[in-house]
Amino acid sequence: MPPATPPAESSAAPETATGAAPASLAGREYEVEIGPVAHGGHCVARTEEGRVLFVRHALPGERVVARVTEGHEDSRFLRADAVEILDAAKDRVEAPCPFAGPGRCGGCDWQHAAPGAQRRLKAAVLAEQLQRLAGLTAEEAGWDGTVEPAPGDKVPRGEVPAWRTRVQYAVDASGRAGLRRHRSHEIEVIDRCLIAAPGVSELGVEKRAWPQTASVEAVAATGSNDRQVLITPRPDGRLPLVELDRPVSVMRVEEPRGRNGERTVHRVHGRPYVRERAAERTWRIGAGGFWQVHPQAADLLVRTVMTGLTPHKGDMALDLYCGAGLFAGALADRVGEKGAVLGVEASKRAVEDARHNLADCDRVRIEHGTVERVLPRTGITEADIVVLDPPRSGAGKKTVRQIAALGPRRVAYVACDPAALARDLAYFRAEGYVPHFTKAFDLFPMTHHMECVAILKPVEKGA
């Protein structure tokens, strides 16, 4: 069986023994039966000669005509689009979005699948990643095998929840806004995005021209009326005059990125931040700073994490990769005056936000730097509870070892990538920590992404 996550492979054709590049197979069509879903928004199929295809716009069990989009004669696998459905699955629906489909917008992966089917596909991916990378069954992971919708996201077949509170639009050479095509720099010009939250759609970014502009990011805060656009001009381009359909603050983003990898953002007018509301607090999020993109995500994740950790008064708690301080604030409210919370965050802008957001919490300290470098220099030798919400690449073996060495009674791992979660769960198990329970949430409907929370505990002695 081919790997469920296709390995990174260059689009450039390798040279053959004769020095000539192998022939491209792009455009070749195969009639294939679609096999299981794979991590990344596609399904696995094989040609009659046994060549592996990763096929988008298909569903397990279908028979389709798949047209190759990437790959050469010597490629380990090919990427393809289902361009004709010969035998459709019962879960197939007509894509609600007019810009979805082969060769079109790459923002969504499962517009052609019924909402319940999308969650079943994601559950299959998570189960496969846990088994293959962590050696865990669903039962061993404490997971019920389902991916839960966010509150209010259950919609009938053929409908799309409008959930995305931050949308990054690319702009073509003529100044029209759109979204990137899958694995491409080409831009699909659109007049609306169905998954965009109402606060983003009402700005009308797609309706106006953006001369000399490379990209426009639109932000609609949850819990406030704050709206923001971040504009990245083309090299040597001028910032356009911004006239949108709602009051909005405007930021200019400079590329290339700064030394620390963060974008350089300048205020043009309006507030240089938006105010988000979650966990009974208002949070300042600086321009371009990270915040959960689904409007229900922050509260849902906080509830799940706190339920799993069961903080006690007087606990020493860590919030690693703490961002603007969401989990640190929730922990501070629960550990009380005799407890303490340490947050660690690599983004300088997020650290400034976290310190501002938690200025009223005397027992919270926010440190700037990478987790693996900051933890050893804090002098902390033990902790009661730990939250980590790493980037998509995961925490990694070294950080897992550092956390386990502190001997926490519970660890809450928040993950946006099932493969990274599974790899890190394997590292935790090697350090004596196993899942107590795992939850999965569909916080990115229509895409292949999901959010997971795994609560870990030390292995019982004698087990």
Side-chain angles (χ1 to χ4, degrees), residues 121 153 239 263 314:
L121 291 168
D153 269 3
L239 197 74
R263 296 180 296 180

Side-chain angles (χ1 to χ4, degrees), residues 64-399:
V64 308
V65 174
R67 180 180 297 152
V68 176
T69 56
E70 291 182 51
H72 303 83
E73 287 284 0
D74 291 352
S75 297
R76 294 164 57 195
F77 62 88
L78 305 175
R79 297 183 186 274
D81 285 341
V83 294
E84 184 180 353
I85 311 303
L86 305 176
D87 187 9
K90 63 180 177 60
D91 290 322
R92 176 172 286 275
V93 298
E94 184 176 351
C97 177
F99 307 105
R104 305 292 302 277
C105 173
C108 292
D109 306 293
W110 299 119
Q111 287 270 347
H112 59 286
Q118 294 181 34
R119 293 190 288 273
R120 291 192 293 274
L121 291 168
K122 296 181 187 190
V125 168
L126 178 56
E128 194 277 338
Q129 298 289 291
L130 288 173
Q131 181 64 63
R132 187 168 63 89
L133 299 177
L136 294 171
T137 65
E139 183 179 4
E140 290 169 332
W143 174 47
D144 66 5
T146 66
V147 175
E148 304 173 28
D153 269 3
K154 275 198 169 184
V155 295
R157 290 170 68 100
E159 293 189 18
V160 176
W163 57 271
R164 193 171 186 92
T165 60
R166 295 169 182 241
V167 176
Q168 176 132 13
Y169 299 90
V171 180
D172 71 6
S174 62
R176 298 175 301 172
L179 298 170
R180 300 279 182 193
R181 292 171 181 164
H182 181 63
R183 293 176 60 83
S184 172
H185 293 294
E186 294 183 3
I187 297 169
E188 180 77 19
V189 175
I190 64 174
D191 58 25
R192 66 191 184 281
C193 175
L194 294 187
I195 65 172
V200 170
S201 296
E202 69 185 11
L203 294 177
V205 170
E206 307 97 330
K207 298 176 184 177
R208 60 150 294 158
W210 298 92
Q212 302 184 63
T213 300
S215 67
V216 179
E217 183 177 0
V219 180
T222 300
S224 78
N225 290 321
D226 292 351
R227 304 290 181 262
Q228 187 178 79
V229 293
L230 295 92
I231 303 172
T232 303
R234 293 186 180 278
D236 302 320
R238 291 186 176 183
L239 197 74
L241 179 65
V242 178
E243 295 180 350
L244 293 173
D245 295 345
R246 294 288 187 275
V248 64
S249 60
V250 179
M251 307 290 133
R252 177 191 175 107
V253 181
E254 289 187 0
E255 303 288 4
R257 298 176 183 273
R259 293 179 184 176
N260 59 0
E262 294 187 73
R263 296 180 296 180
T264 302
V265 182
H266 301 284
R267 183 177 69 89
V268 178
H269 68 75
R271 292 191 185 96
Y273 57 85
V274 295
R275 295 164 298 177
E276 302 280 1
R277 184 73 185 170
E280 300 181 355
R281 284 178 176 269
T282 297
W283 305 87
R284 185 188 80 179
I285 309 298
F290 174 78
W291 185 257
Q292 289 286 344
V293 74
H294 193 291
Q296 303 295 326
D299 278 323
L300 180 59
L301 294 174
V302 167
R303 287 196 303 270
T304 306
V305 166
M306 295 304 131
T307 298
L309 290 180
T310 58
H312 302 161
K313 297 294 184 183
D315 273 348
M316 173 64 205
L318 303 183
D319 180 8
L320 308 180
Y321 314 93
C322 71
L326 175 65
F327 294 113
L331 289 166
D333 292 340
R334 288 161 174 80
V335 301
E337 294 181 357
K338 294 184 179 180
V341 180
L342 171 68
V344 181
E345 171 57 46
S347 165
K348 183 178 179 181
R349 185 180 299 117
V351 166
E352 293 171 354
D353 286 338
R355 288 172 177 168
H356 170 87
N357 292 331
L358 303 174
D360 62 325
C361 300
D362 295 336
R363 300 290 289 165
V364 175
R365 185 168 101 245
I366 306 295
E367 293 284 348
H368 176 226
T370 62
V371 171
E372 64 179 41
R373 291 183 179 179
V374 170
L375 272 184
R377 71 175 188 234
T378 61
I380 294 174
T381 58
E382 58 183 35
D384 297 300
I385 50 178
V386 177
V387 182
L388 65 156
D389 185 4
R392 191 169 299 280
S393 56
K397 184 184 294 186
K398 184 175 181 179
T399 298

